[in-house]
Amino acid sequence: MALHILQHIFSISILVSAPCLVFCYDQCFSCLTCPNVSVKDQILRLANDQETVDWMKQIRRRIHEYPELAYEEVKTSELIRHELDLLGVAYRWPVATTGVVATIGSGSPPFVALRADMDALPIQELVEWGHKSKVDGKMHACSHDAHVAMLLGAAKILQKLQHLLQGTVVLIFQPAEERGEGAKDMIKEGVLKNVEAIFGLHLVHEYPFGVVATRPKEFLAGCGSFKAIISGKGGHAAIPQHTIDPILAASTAIISLQNIVSRETDPLDSQVVSVAMIHGGSAFDVIPDSTTIAGTFRAFNKKSFNALRERIEEVIKGQAAVYRCSAQIYFSGKEHPTIPPTVNDEKVCEHVIRVSREIVGEENTKVAPTFMGSEDFAFFLDKVPGSFLFLGIKNEKTGAIHPPHSPYFTVDEDVFPIGAAIHAAFAYSFLSNSTTPI
């Protein structure tokens, strides 16, 4: 089915006469060195080979049945290494606890990287299908299982085309994206050494099946969390004059935080400050010693993101002081680390768009708006030029209509050949020449 879908999405251009076309496509699938077939067509043919399509689906389903949370991706990592062994692809492991880093090509510069995340979420799956999660309270509800399957599909394609690679492709299978720590830990272990560009994609329900979308420069928002402990002096609520009320200070701080976005920032520079938690006191007639508030802040521009963090601290401490309280503010934590904005390099993004048009066609390649969601792929982009891409899976017939992190999240697996082909085509063409069509 996937082959027919891709054939419908784009028209295949062959540089040969009809007799050679029949020979190359119908009789000579393994003849990758045939000079009469473009590399693009070889990549597409490999991606849509029915055995490869079924193989990618089986990999995704095996991972989906046994989801593993951040830094617990032991079985997932083992499966990846097993498949790489069968493909004859060299790799390094462990990297950042459970990560795997493979290489295909000459082993010499230039180096280009492709990345897939591996971890699942602490969600109880409610989708009834033959490969439902077998682990209570855990689910692949953000398509990371599919990302792994597509990157392995790209590995299979690139391994068969390795004699054509003018450099080295680095395949990064990353743990702990959902925790926001995996990319940072892999960078610390040198996965970006000598890498000149990096590419990653994410399946999304915002776009119809087979439609891709990205944008140069700011793409996804930076995400930060904060927790403030506002301390005063507790006492009986009937005699407030003998207390220093932290609930009053917290209340005015929450209201004042809303003014940062509404009155201090450019309306065209989208930002968010939300207080989502408040905890103070345990009795109706006792003023507590302290009150805790917590929330999130987001922005697309790095300068705005950092400025937002500074103002949050100033506002909370200032309002606490007005009401004779003190405040301790924490901006990072193990469960909710700060993630910078995802900013695509303009030249690499242009290259991704050119490659995508070759794979899915002009009509299925869109310029995306900015999204308030965050991705720890941003840490890679802070170090090397790169680009992030959305690949649409929305399909009412297959039930792929629910957003990520939903217990009903469903993936249309027929999109796998497209994802694998885009990965492989980006890597090949970047190594060859970013201005030369594939």
Side-chain angles (χ1 to χ4, degrees), residues 138-206:
K138 297 179 183 180
M139 176 190 177
H140 271 288
C142 202
S143 67
H144 295 187
D145 50 349
H147 299 167
V148 170
M150 290 185 290
L151 188 53
L152 282 172
K156 188 172 186 178
I157 296 168
L158 292 167
Q159 183 71 347
K160 290 189 175 182
L161 297 174
Q162 63 175 316
H163 60 286
L164 300 177
L165 298 177
Q166 299 178 34
T168 305
V169 183
V170 180
L171 309 173
I172 299 173
F173 296 91
Q174 177 208 312
E177 187 279 331
E178 297 293 353
R179 188 180 289 183
E181 297 282 354
K184 287 194 295 184
D185 286 348
M186 297 203 89
I187 291 169
K188 290 177 184 177
E189 296 201 28
V191 301
L192 294 181
K193 183 179 180 181
N194 298 321
V195 169
E196 297 183 12
I198 187 168
F199 170 75
L201 64 74
H202 204 298
L203 299 185
V204 296
H205 74 294
E206 283 90 351

Side-chain angles (χ1 to χ4, degrees), residues 211-370:
V211 172
V212 301
T214 188
R215 64 181 297 111
K217 304 177 70 174
E218 291 85 4
F219 186 17
L220 306 180
C223 172
S225 64
F226 63 91
K227 181 174 77 172
I229 301 174
I230 300 173
S231 299
K233 178 184 176 183
H236 202 290
I239 47 174
Q241 69 272 25
H242 296 312
T243 71
I244 299 175
D245 192 347
I247 289 183
L248 179 60
S251 300
T252 59
I254 291 171
I255 293 172
S256 296
L257 286 172
Q258 307 313 305
N259 293 330
I260 297 175
V261 174
S262 67
R263 287 297 176 266
E264 298 181 20
T265 65
D266 185 341
L268 300 179
D269 181 12
S270 298
Q271 300 178 34
V272 168
V273 177
S274 294
V275 177
M277 186 186 82
I278 178 168
H279 177 74
S282 57
F284 73 94
D285 58 354
V286 178
I287 292 174
D289 287 321
S290 66
T291 299
T292 299
I293 63 174
T296 185
F297 61 100
R298 304 193 177 211
F300 293 101
N301 180 281
K302 291 181 181 179
K303 183 178 179 180
S304 299
F305 185 70
N306 293 330
L308 201 56
R309 171 176 169 151
E310 291 178 6
R311 277 300 284 149
I312 289 170
E313 183 170 11
E314 290 173 354
V315 167
I316 294 174
K317 286 187 174 180
Q319 288 299 321
V322 168
Y323 294 93
R324 300 177 296 151
C325 293
S326 62
Q328 290 180 302
I329 305 172
Y330 305 92
F331 282 100
S332 62
K334 186 176 181 181
E335 297 300 324
H336 304 286
T338 298
I339 299 173
T342 299
V343 181
N344 287 335
D345 178 83
E346 290 186 76
K347 290 184 178 180
V348 178
C349 186
E350 289 174 4
H351 182 70
V352 169
I353 292 170
R354 285 197 299 270
V355 168
S356 298
R357 286 171 179 161
E358 289 287 318
I359 301 300
V360 301
E362 178 83 29
E363 70 279 12
N364 293 299
T365 304
K366 309 296 183 181
V367 176
T370 52

Side-chain angles (χ1 to χ4, degrees), residues 125 127 139-143 393 402-411:
E125 182 169 10
V127 182
M139 176 190 177
H140 271 288
C142 202
S143 67
I393 56 171
H402 300 283
H405 296 216
S406 164
Y408 296 100
F409 181 78
T410 302
V411 168

Side-chain angles (χ1 to χ4, degrees), residues 99-149:
V100 181
V101 180
T103 54
I104 300 174
S106 66
S108 57
F111 289 81
V112 63
L114 307 173
R115 172 268 203 172
D117 36 19
M118 307 188 299
D119 56 324
L121 288 158
I123 294 174
Q124 182 67 45
E125 182 169 10
L126 298 179
V127 182
E128 296 298 334
W129 68 302
H131 300 278
K132 182 179 179 180
S133 171
K134 296 181 179 179
V135 183
D136 287 341
K138 297 179 183 180
M139 176 190 177
H140 271 288
C142 202
S143 67
H144 295 187
D145 50 349
H147 299 167
V148 170

Side-chain angles (χ1 to χ4, degrees), residues 367-429:
V367 176
T370 52
F371 283 86
M372 274 295 173
S374 298
E375 239 284 353
D376 87 337
F377 188 77
F379 289 109
F380 293 123
L381 296 180
D382 264 357
K383 300 296 182 182
V384 299
S387 187
F388 199 61
L389 177 78
F390 282 167
L391 173 54
I393 56 171
K394 186 175 182 180
N395 186 343
E396 293 187 6
K397 292 182 180 180
T398 61
I401 57 175
H402 300 283
H405 296 216
S406 164
Y408 296 100
F409 181 78
T410 302
V411 168
D412 188 335
E413 296 178 329
D414 287 327
V415 82
F416 291 178
I418 300 175
I422 291 175
H423 274 109
F426 170 82
Y428 167 81
S429 57

